[in-house]
Amino acid sequence: MQSKSSNESWAIRFAKFVDRIGTLKVSILFVVFTLLFTLAGSFLIRTSMGSEIEFDDFISAIILTLLSAPWVLYFFSELIKQLEHSRINLEDAVSQLERLRKHDVILNRELQNNIRQLNYEIEQRRHAQLERESVFEELEKEIKEKSEQEMQARRLSTLTRSIIDASPDLIYYRNEEGRFAGCNRVAEQVTGKTEDELLGLTPHQVYDESLARQVAASDNEVLETNASLTEELWLKFADGRRRYFEMRKVPFFDKEGHRLGLLAFGRDMTERKQAESAVEQASKDKTKFIATISHELRTPLNGIVGLSRMLRDTKLSKEQFEWVSTIYASAITLGNIFNDIIDLDKLDRDKIEIELKTVNLRDFTNEISSIIRLLAQDQNLTFHSEIIEPIPVAIEADGTRLRQVLWNILFNALKFTQKGEVKLTVEAKVESADHAKVTFRINDTGVGIPEEDLEKIFAMYYQVDHPDHQSATGTGIGLAICKQMVDKMDGDILVNSVVGQGTCFEIILPVAISKQQARMAELEVNNLNILLVEDIELNVMVAKALLEKLGQRVEVAMTGTAAIEMARKTQYDLILLDIQLPDMTGFDVARTLHEEELVLQTPIVALTANVIKKREEYLQNGMDDIIAKPIKKSRVIEVFNELFSAEQPKSERPAASEVVSIPKVDKILDIEMLQMLIDTIGEDMVRTSLGVFQEKIPEYVELLKVSLAADEKADVCSQAHKIKGAAGSVGLQRVQKTANKIQQGDHPAWWENVHDWVEELDMAIEQDVEHLLEWVNANKIDD
């Protein structure tokens, strides 16, 4: 490699020499050198060969040289030129190659960098490919999962839709514009439209106007407040059925929190509504029953109390006096037990009222003590009563309720005390000129109450389960009622007891001190001309004897009609009016007396054994006051003093309410019409009609009851009209007449009587269909 480089360097140097000297000079030198070389060569050759040297040999050599030298010279010149050009080109090529080499080095470096980068990128791409493959695998897995989720979602959507459609609840949703956006099958049944038909409609295009306004108002309230809402309303189905729904409406939003509209869920509460109506009616029936029992029990009780009280005032032996006193005390006991039952019903209906009146505290204590003393003597017990002075002369209190509370606790004290004594102590703490706290303390030496039972004795129907209490039993309602009565009087009832030693009850009442003297002690009026309206002779005898003993003059009317006729002829100072009379109610009598202006200056006082009604109900029906049966002397004195005292103005008398009696239905079947049907359409058709009636009538009655629970009088009357027609077509005369009463919605006391008529209709349908079947079978109407 080095030798080649040297040769190349020599040739390049020679070429550079020729180029520097010039071709001509080099040519001359070459010719001269060639001649010299030829001559020298010829000489040497001749010499070495031993030949003689001749001049011709030199001439021929010179000639040959001159002939050949130019060509050689030309050849070498051209060769040199070519070599020079080649050299120059070679140098250029070398330079170019050098530049290319340098560029190639740079490119090589770049290539190496690119290769490294490419290798890196290849590695990255390989990783990316792996990642892509992993991503693709994940994506495939995700796609598969999403597909499964979509399938599951579709299944769930289908299931949800099936559940929604199968749900007995009404479900619909509306958009922001208030238009229906979807619903379930119940909503379709209610509206009579399919979901597709409902889409885009407003409530006003679906419901009747009154219902549409109600639905739209509640929907708008939900959308305006963004708060849920619950309402209850009656919805009428497309097929005419009416159902009671509890609607729950809520706004609903998308994932971003944008409100989409509202959802409405409606639960069919018709059965609950009917049950509530039934409970309400049952409560009314219970109240009516208690009122009837009250009247029936208090009538003989009034006679027992009144006659035994009058017998005690006659000349009797000691033994007879004790017997009569026992009868009197027992009747009072029975009356107070019955008062508990009445108050229990009132507490259930939240109708207990506290009526404050002036009570002479000393006389009040002595009155209740006298009765308890009789009971204590009958059980060989000692009873003491003590009034710790000073106490207010008169207080404002509900004497009836307070007497009942004390009576219950005192009677329990006697019942659970086998030996020893019972003591009533009354004391008062005057807190100001107008207010005081009165404490009634009742101590006994009875069996006592276990400590663990002290907090339970005021619970309804609770009775202490202890061996020491087996000798006495009770209803378990007395103390519960006492507790609630005392609470209503804003007082407290406390109890302390030690088993085997006795019990102490304390009733602490905040009261107002009366500025007036109580008028219960003495009657301030006499010689009143009184009309006593009472249909039971025993009650007449007791009341008349009591009133005459109090110095009054008494005339008696046994019926409402007789009372009105007597009032037309005579101006009385007072009318004592029984509420339940054989021909009309006391309210009817009072209404007539007021309408004819026969009692402008005459008070009317109700005599009633029905303590269910509120006092205001009597006052609103034309009465000035009431006296409960059995009649008590103290109550008579109290009422008379209030009505006829110069300081006591008479109360205004509102007009009496109208009471309409229910006509009694005697006939059950229209035999003449049934016989006519047999003769006209034949026995088979009569039996077929009866079968259709039995099939359809339950649906008619159900729709009637639902409409009644919804207070839809028009629908009630419409259904009653259908029942009337159906009953008439099969000869059920009593059912027809009862339905006719129900369909007469313009009756002035329709709402007051319709529930009773519906019950009467139920009973008539149940019984009379059986009678009709018996009649059909008896007349041998065969298929």
Side-chain angles (χ1 to χ4, degrees):
M1 187 71 180
Q2 183 67 31
S3 175
K4 183 179 179 181
S5 299
S6 300
N7 293 334
E8 289 177 353
S9 296
W10 176 85
I12 291 172
R13 283 195 299 271
F14 179 77
K16 288 181 179 180
F17 172 77
V18 171
D19 184 66
R20 184 172 62 249
I21 297 300
T23 304
L24 181 61
K25 292 180 179 181
V26 172
S27 298
I28 293 172
L29 288 176
F30 179 75
V31 171
V32 171
F33 177 76
T34 303
L35 288 174
L36 291 177
F37 178 77
T38 302
L39 291 175
S42 295
F43 176 77
L44 289 174
I45 293 171
R46 287 289 182 180
T47 301
S48 62
M49 291 178 64
S51 300
E52 292 183 357
I53 299 173
E54 294 180 359
F55 181 78
D56 292 336
D57 294 329
F58 289 101
I59 293 298
S60 59
I62 293 170
I63 293 171
L64 289 171
T65 301
L66 290 174
L67 289 173
S68 61
W71 293 102
V72 173
L73 179 63
Y74 173 78
F75 173 78
F76 277 103
S77 297
E78 288 298 322
L79 179 61
I80 289 170
K81 287 181 181 178
Q82 292 297 322
L83 287 174
E84 181 65 16
H85 288 303
S86 298
R87 184 191 64 80
I88 292 172
N89 291 333
L90 182 61
E91 286 182 353
D92 291 337
V94 170
S95 297
Q96 184 66 26
L97 287 173
E98 183 65 21
R99 286 195 301 272
L100 291 175
R101 186 188 66 78
K102 292 180 179 179
H103 181 67
D104 185 61
V105 170
I106 295 172
L107 289 178
N108 186 48
R109 291 175 182 173
E110 291 179 354
L111 181 60
Q112 289 178 351
N113 290 334
N114 289 338
I115 290 172
R116 284 194 298 268
Q117 182 67 27
L118 183 60
N119 290 334
Y120 175 77
E121 289 178 359
I122 290 172
E123 185 67 20
Q124 291 297 316
R125 289 181 181 182
R126 189 175 67 82
H127 287 300
Q129 180 64 25
L130 293 175
E131 290 179 357
R132 269 197 304 273
E133 291 176 358
S134 176
V135 168
F136 285 147
E137 290 178 358
E138 293 292 331
L139 186 59
E140 289 177 359
K141 182 178 180 182
E142 185 175 348
I143 291 173
K144 185 177 180 181
E145 290 178 352
K146 285 189 175 181
S147 298
E148 293 177 353
Q149 290 174 356
E150 288 178 0
M151 293 179 62
Q152 182 69 13
R154 284 195 294 270
R155 288 195 295 268
L156 289 176
S157 176
T158 303
L159 178 61
T160 302
R161 182 67 195 188
S162 300
I163 293 173
I164 291 175
D165 283 338
S167 171
D169 293 342
L170 167 67
I171 302 173
Y172 70 82
Y173 39 98
R174 293 172 58 197
N175 58 24
E176 287 285 273
E177 289 74 33
R179 299 182 180 276
F180 284 95
C183 67
N184 69 341
R185 294 190 186 278
V186 177
E188 293 179 342
Q189 294 171 1
V190 171
T191 60
K193 300 178 183 295
T194 65
E195 184 178 19
D196 292 337
E197 293 172 338
L198 278 175
L199 294 179
L201 299 182
T202 66
H204 294 278
Q205 296 171 307
V206 176
Y207 305 119
D208 59 68
E209 189 58 32
S210 60
L211 179 58
R213 283 196 302 268
Q214 184 178 356
V215 171
S218 60
D219 286 358
N220 292 337
E221 182 177 346
V222 172
L223 296 176
E224 288 173 1
T225 61
N226 266 348
S228 59
L229 178 146
T230 301
E231 65 175 347
E232 296 181 354
L233 71 162
W234 286 93
L235 295 178
K236 191 172 184 179
F237 279 62
D239 59 6
R241 292 180 297 135
R242 190 177 294 274
R243 308 294 291 176
Y244 189 74
F245 280 88
E246 180 183 70
M247 300 297 299
R248 178 71 173 174
K249 300 181 178 181
V250 296
F252 72 97
F253 305 85
D254 60 17
K255 294 181 178 179
E256 287 72 32
H258 300 122
R259 191 179 65 195
L260 302 178
L262 67 84
L263 286 170
F265 306 88
R267 176 63 54 86
D268 188 345
M269 307 298 287
T270 308
E271 283 71 21
R272 188 201 72 179
K273 185 68 173 177
Q274 290 179 299
E276 289 176 352
S277 299
V279 170
E280 182 179 355
Q281 186 61 33
S283 178
K284 291 180 180 178
D285 292 342
K286 182 184 72 172
T287 300
K288 186 185 297 183
F289 172 76
I290 293 178
T292 302
I293 292 296
S294 170
H295 182 268
E296 297 300 327
L297 289 183
R298 286 180 182 274
T299 296
L301 190 61
N302 182 31
I304 296 171
V305 172
L307 292 177
S308 61
R309 184 178 58 238
M310 288 188 291
L311 279 173
R312 288 178 63 213
D313 295 336
T314 61
K315 187 175 181 180
L316 299 171
S317 66
K318 181 179 180 181
E319 186 178 32
Q320 290 173 332
F321 182 83
E322 290 177 354
W323 289 347
V324 172
S325 296
T326 301
I327 293 172
Y328 176 68
S330 298
I332 294 294
T333 301
L334 182 59
N336 280 280
I337 292 174
F338 192 72
N339 284 339
D340 285 345
I341 298 174
I342 298 299
D343 287 335
L344 180 61
D345 176 70
K346 287 186 176 182
L347 288 169
D348 287 341
R349 296 181 293 117
D350 196 25
K351 286 196 173 185
I352 285 289
E353 295 179 330
I354 302 300
E355 299 179 7
L356 299 180
K357 294 186 178 181
T358 302
V359 176
N360 185 302
L361 193 53
R362 186 173 283 100
D363 290 345
F364 175 83
T365 304
N366 291 335
E367 177 190 1
I368 196 169
S369 296
S370 63
I371 300 173
I372 296 298
R373 188 171 288 109
L374 290 174
L375 293 176
Q377 290 173 0
D378 190 50
Q379 293 182 221
N380 296 319
L381 298 174
T382 302
F383 176 76
H384 297 289
S385 64
E386 180 183 4
I387 298 175
I388 300 176
E389 299 290 351
I391 62 171
V393 176
I395 60 174
E396 296 296 325
D398 188 330
T400 301
R401 302 299 178 197
L402 180 56
R403 184 183 294 107
Q404 189 175 348
V405 170
L406 294 175
W407 167 261
N408 268 307
I409 297 177
L410 286 165
F411 186 72
N412 277 346
L414 294 175
K415 186 165 58 174
F416 292 103
T417 301
Q418 284 79 33
K419 60 181 180 178
E421 66 175 12
V422 175
K423 183 177 181 179
L424 169 63
T425 304
V426 182
E427 61 179 324
K429 179 181 179 182
V430 178
E431 298 180 331
S432 67
D434 299 323
H435 294 86
K437 275 192 176 180
V438 179
T439 301
F440 298 88
R441 187 176 298 106
I442 299 169
N443 296 85
D444 66 59
T445 58
V447 296
I449 303 171
E451 183 177 358
E452 62 272 13
D453 291 314
L454 286 178
E455 295 182 358
K456 306 174 185 176
I457 59 174
F458 295 111
M460 190 66 71
Y461 304 114
Y462 183 79
Q463 292 177 289
V464 176
D465 184 13
H466 192 272
D468 294 338
H469 294 79
Q470 299 303 315
S471 60
T473 59
T475 62
I477 65 175
L479 287 179
I481 292 174
C482 288
K483 173 64 175 172
Q484 296 187 51
M485 294 287 190
V486 172
D487 288 343
K488 283 186 173 290
M489 290 186 282
D490 298 323
D492 293 312
I493 181 167
L494 309 175
V495 58
N496 292 295
S497 184
V498 177
V499 176
Q501 298 182 23
T503 304
C504 175
F505 282 88
E506 285 189 354
I507 297 95
I508 305 170
L509 296 179
V511 297
I513 299 175
S514 178
K515 300 300 182 181
Q516 301 178 1
Q517 293 293 325
R519 302 193 183 107
M520 293 186 295
E522 295 182 2
L523 184 60
E524 298 180 359
V525 293
N526 54 34
N527 202 31
L528 295 175
N529 188 17
I530 300 175
L531 175 60
L532 173 63
V533 186
E534 172 64 68
D535 64 317
I536 299 176
E537 292 188 3
L538 178 60
N539 288 350
V540 170
M541 181 175 64
V542 173
K544 190 171 184 294
L546 175 60
L547 293 171
E548 289 177 346
K549 188 173 181 180
L550 292 174
Q552 317 300 333
R553 293 179 288 114
V554 182
E555 294 184 20
V556 178
M558 302 288 286
T559 64
T561 303
I564 294 172
E565 290 298 325
M566 294 175 68
R568 287 170 178 165
K569 298 176 182 178
T570 306
Q571 180 68 40
Y572 294 97
D573 298 316
L574 174 66
I575 297 177
L576 297 177
L577 180 59
D578 187 22
I579 297 302
Q580 294 191 13
L581 296 170
D583 56 341
M584 63 180 71
T585 68
F587 295 142
D588 292 331
V589 175
R591 176 173 54 82
T592 302
L593 294 177
H594 282 294
E595 288 176 352
E596 297 185 11
E597 298 183 349
L598 301 175
V599 287
L600 295 179
Q601 304 297 325
T602 304
I604 301 177
V605 175
L607 293 177
T608 179
N610 182 7
V611 292
I612 299 298
K613 291 183 178 292
K614 291 184 177 181
R615 174 184 175 84
E616 285 72 13
E617 295 181 55
Y618 290 96
L619 300 182
Q620 291 171 2
N621 283 279
M623 310 299 174
D624 294 275
D625 212 331
I626 59 173
I627 296 177
K629 298 177 183 179
I631 299 174
K632 295 182 180 179
K633 178 180 177 180
S634 59
R635 178 59 180 162
V636 172
I637 293 174
E638 179 183 0
V639 171
F640 280 25
N641 285 346
E642 288 181 352
L643 290 175
F644 296 100
S645 172
E647 298 80 13
Q648 181 71 26
K650 291 185 178 181
S651 60
E652 296 182 2
R653 301 172 185 137
S657 64
E658 187 173 344
V659 179
V660 180
S661 60
I662 301 174
K664 184 178 179 182
V665 179
D666 296 322
K667 294 184 179 180
I668 295 176
L669 304 177
D670 188 344
I671 303 298
E672 183 179 351
M673 194 273 287
L674 285 170
Q675 193 61 53
M676 181 271 293
L677 286 176
I678 292 175
D679 296 338
T680 304
I681 64 176
E683 298 176 356
D684 292 341
M685 188 59 68
V686 171
R687 189 176 291 277
T688 300
S689 299
L690 180 57
V692 172
F693 176 84
Q694 289 179 291
E695 178 183 352
K696 293 293 185 181
I697 201 65
E699 177 183 348
Y700 292 164
V701 173
E702 175 67 17
L703 289 174
L704 183 147
K705 291 181 178 179
V706 169
S707 300
L708 181 59
D711 293 339
E712 294 288 346
K713 178 188 282 189
D715 290 344
V716 174
C717 295
S718 175
Q719 291 301 320
H721 181 74
K722 291 182 181 179
I723 294 172
K724 172 189 171 185
S729 66
V730 292
L732 292 172
Q733 183 169 271
R734 181 166 67 169
V735 175
Q736 183 182 16
K737 289 183 177 180
T738 305
N740 183 58
K741 289 186 292 185
I742 298 174
Q743 79 166 1
Q744 295 176 1
D746 57 350
H747 194 290
W750 190 86
W751 281 114
E752 288 80 359
N753 293 280
V754 66
H755 291 281
D756 293 331
W757 291 337
V758 172
E759 287 187 7
E760 185 180 342
L761 180 67
D762 273 341
M763 182 271 295
I765 291 174
E766 180 181 357
Q767 297 179 359
D768 296 358
V769 170
E770 294 297 326
H771 289 302
L772 179 56
L773 288 172
E774 291 175 2
W775 186 88
V776 168
N777 293 330
N779 284 270
K780 298 181 181 179
I781 302 179
D782 300 324
D783 293 332

